[in-house]
Amino acid sequence: MQIQHNISLQALHTLHLDVSARFFYRWQENDKLDELLAHAKNYKRTIWLGSGSNTIFLQDVDDGLVVQIATNGIEVIEEDEQVRISVSAGNNWHQFVQYTLANGWYGLENLSLIPGTVGASPVQNIGAYGVEVKDHITRVFGVNTDNGEAFVMNNNECQFSYRNSIFKQSPHLLITEVEFVLSKQFIPHIDYGDIARVAQAIAGNEKLNANHVANAIIQTRKAKLPNPDKMGNVGSFFHNPIVPADYAKELLQKYPNMPHYPQADEKVKIAAAWLIEQAGLKGKKCGNMAVHQQQALVLVNTGGAIAQDVIDLKSLIQSTVLERFGIELICEPRFIT
Ligand code: EPU
């Protein structure tokens, strides 16, 4: 095993805090997994990392092995009017989406430009602009790192829900491959926000196609969400809270313009960005961490942020929103301490 020592993690997670790993391994070959799992037993813990777009390292990792999952490969399993493909965990998500579009396989276009890897996509059931990845996952393959046993789970067994899955709850279930089903027929999903208008403007006189929609999503994301290569961030920092319908009704009497989305089971999802903005926190800074001006749900590293800045800003937002609206905001990223 080619273990590297004292590797900076600054470029390996998108919040770009200045932290390092004492032991680091870049895992590229699928068939090295058994050897890797055996070797990992020598450490107190193993931290599995994709592209670090939803992980925040709050301190140096001195007591464990950090493994960057960099396996790649895409295999067609079955093809007729639909296509079933198996994709290695380390593939870059956006490049994979572009690859599907180039092949005329549709369904993932609304999830364009989401930072991260394919293997991370089921963990928090990534979703954007009216589509969730669970809508296209057939099976997830992986290994239970506690006992080394391989697993395969169908869509139901993954227990997907909003920003959640069995993998989020059980970090010992390491995902090695994800199987997707995509359609050869393009069905647009453009009801969310401004997407229909932007996509139609891009299409002009042409018949609307999946590339138009993908480009509309890319344009919209670029306008609102900071590029993590330029300004460190982990996308949405908090989940959109889901509250009982009665409570949402009470809030709506006070704040009739509050964006809200009715869910199943008499629940209502509320836009956390709106709560943060209304609480007067847009642009608020703690040290070198700030609430992003274009999207209040995104916290940015304005340069040289340290872990304490992250904790201070996160705690300030949570306590202010709780006091003002009676709602507890739950963090979306994984914190490594
Ligand atoms: N809003 C504000 N202030 C802001 C930003 C937004 O009041 O600063 C309001 C908007 O006016 C809108 C509502 O909040 O009515 C929702 O905003 P937006 O459409 O930007 O989406 P979001 O709920 O903030 C979610 C996802 C994003 C995803 C977008 C688009 C979560 C936690 N986040 O954000 O996902 O891109 O919808 O579908 O569900 C991510 O997970 O990292 C992520 C970026």
Side-chain angles (χ1 to χ4, degrees):
M1 297 263 82
Q2 274 203 330
I3 304 298
Q4 300 176 61
H5 296 95
N6 303 319
I7 293 295
S8 170
L9 296 171
Q10 198 160 21
L12 298 177
H13 74 306
T14 62
L15 196 61
H16 303 315
L17 303 186
D18 185 10
V19 285
S20 63
R22 188 155 164 218
F23 306 102
F24 179 83
Y25 180 72
R26 182 173 157 83
W27 171 40
Q28 287 179 282
E29 291 132 337
N30 277 307
D31 59 7
K32 281 258 174 77
L33 183 58
D34 287 345
E35 196 187 339
L36 174 56
L37 288 174
H39 180 79
K41 289 195 179 128
N42 297 320
Y43 302 85
K44 210 169 127 196
R45 59 179 175 156
T46 304
I47 293 158
W48 301 88
L49 189 63
S51 56
S53 58
N54 207 44
T55 297
I56 300 178
F57 288 98
L58 288 175
Q59 59 188 41
D60 294 338
V61 183
D62 289 330
D63 61 344
L65 176 66
V66 175
V67 178
Q68 185 188 32
I69 303 166
T71 53
N72 56 41
I74 300 178
E75 194 190 339
V76 175
I77 308 290
E78 200 174 48
E79 188 167 5
D80 39 51
E81 65 270 18
Q82 293 193 319
V83 61
R84 207 148 51 84
I85 47 180
S86 183
V87 188
S88 291
N91 280 281
N92 172 276
W93 175 262
H94 179 63
Q95 282 169 15
F96 163 60
V97 173
Q98 293 276 296
Y99 176 85
T100 62
L101 293 175
N103 280 283
W105 303 334
Y106 305 123
L108 300 178
E109 49 280 354
N110 288 39
L111 304 180
S112 294
L113 211 64
I114 295 184
T117 55
V118 168
S121 68
V123 177
Q124 57 152 353
N125 181 23
I126 59 169
Y129 306 102
V131 173
E132 288 183 325
V133 75
K134 75 168 172 58
D135 305 337
H136 296 281
I137 289 178
T138 39
R139 291 188 295 178
V140 173
F141 296 81
V143 65
N144 178 333
T145 56
D146 284 350
N147 57 21
E149 276 178 27
F151 68 80
V152 47
M153 283 187 201
N154 65 28
N155 186 297
N156 258 341
E157 289 167 324
C158 295
Q159 298 173 23
F160 290 121
S161 60
Y162 168 65
R163 289 296 192 274
N164 206 355
S165 73
I166 192 168
F167 311 108
K168 182 127 190 192
Q169 303 307 325
S170 319
H172 62 283
L173 298 177
L174 171 70
I175 295 171
T176 55
E177 262 173 70
V178 184
E179 189 187 88
F180 297 87
V181 65
L182 300 171
S183 172
K184 290 194 177 169
Q185 197 200 338
F186 167 58
I187 301 165
H189 294 282
I190 50 175
D191 294 340
Y192 190 101
D194 246 9
I195 299 302
R197 192 187 55 74
V198 179
Q200 292 296 351
I202 291 172
N205 294 330
E206 288 175 30
K207 183 168 182 257
L208 187 74
N209 66 36
N211 286 315
H212 298 138
V213 173
N215 288 334
I217 301 289
I218 290 169
Q219 193 173 309
T220 304
R221 289 189 74 95
K222 279 186 172 165
K224 289 188 176 172
L225 300 168
N227 178 346
D229 293 339
K230 301 210 169 109
M231 195 185 270
N233 74 87
V234 287
S236 301
F237 203 94
F238 301 100
H239 290 203
N240 283 326
I242 297 177
V243 303
D246 284 352
Y247 191 58
K249 209 168 157 192
E250 217 177 282
L251 284 173
L252 280 162
Q253 276 164 4
K254 244 169 137 180
Y255 310 102
N257 297 329
M258 180 180 77
H260 61 288
Y261 317 93
Q263 309 287 295
D265 313 332
E266 303 277 296
K267 298 265 170 70
V268 176
K269 194 196 271 179
I270 292 174
W274 185 91
L275 298 173
I276 297 168
E277 182 168 348
Q278 293 304 306
L281 293 167
K282 212 168 198 178
K284 182 78 193 167
K285 252 185 132 178
C286 284
N288 291 317
M289 283 297 298
V291 178
H292 189 50
Q293 284 290 0
Q294 272 76 46
Q295 226 297 1
L297 198 46
V298 177
L299 308 189
V300 291
N301 177 351
T302 58
I306 57 170
Q308 195 58 48
D309 301 341
V310 179
I311 293 164
D312 288 349
L313 189 58
K314 155 191 150 350
S315 307
L316 175 72
I317 293 169
Q318 284 174 316
S319 59
T320 311
V321 168
L322 182 62
E323 200 179 305
R324 175 92 184 258
F325 298 102
I327 291 179
E328 193 187 340
L329 290 181
I330 295 171
C331 291
E332 192 174 273
R334 164 177 71 147
F335 292 92
I336 308 291
T337 53

